[in-house]
Amino acid sequence: MTRTRAISGALTGAALLVLSLSLTACGDSEKDYVQEKTVERIATEQLTNAVGVTPEDLDCPGDLEGKVGTKMTCVLTSEGKDYDAIITVDDVERGRVHFQIDVPPNAEQ
């Protein structure tokens, strides 16, 4: 993981934050997914643990499909500014969905 600054203030400049998370997926007979609120909660906790600052909000557009390569762009709010937080599923194994959160440099919306 590379990060040049913390969320608070850091995302206004060159910040790169990549976190890897693994969650148990919900599922039916057709596909696995992680519920939107679960992704938001766990991602917020991990961002806080990684940089020591809690984002004001992290809002994802829906459930995260448990399929490798699935991407979803959430909106991270810090110090009143919004930033892209890109969620990418990189592994699914035995009902566990592993994904990364990427807050790229200059990702302010």
Side-chain angles (χ1 to χ4, degrees), residues 7-48:
I7 289 175
S8 181
L11 294 180
T12 60
L16 173 62
L17 177 62
V18 178
L19 297 173
S20 295
L21 304 168
S22 184
L23 296 171
T24 301
C26 300
D28 56 33
S29 59
E30 298 190 20
K31 67 177 180 178
D32 290 329
Y33 64 95
V34 180
Q35 293 179 336
E36 173 184 356
K37 292 297 177 193
T38 301
V39 172
E40 292 168 347
R41 180 180 54 80
I42 298 300
T44 297
E45 288 173 6
Q46 293 300 315
L47 285 165
T48 300

Side-chain angles (χ1 to χ4, degrees), residues 41-85:
R41 180 180 54 80
I42 298 300
T44 297
E45 288 173 6
Q46 293 300 315
L47 285 165
T48 300
N49 290 340
V51 297
V53 177
T54 302
E56 293 163 26
D57 191 30
L58 181 67
D59 184 37
C60 296
D63 295 338
L64 179 64
E65 183 180 359
K67 179 180 174 187
V68 173
T70 298
K71 288 189 178 202
M72 172 169 63
T73 301
C74 301
V75 177
L76 182 150
T77 304
S78 180
E79 294 186 341
K81 295 182 181 180
D82 292 338
Y83 302 90
D84 289 339

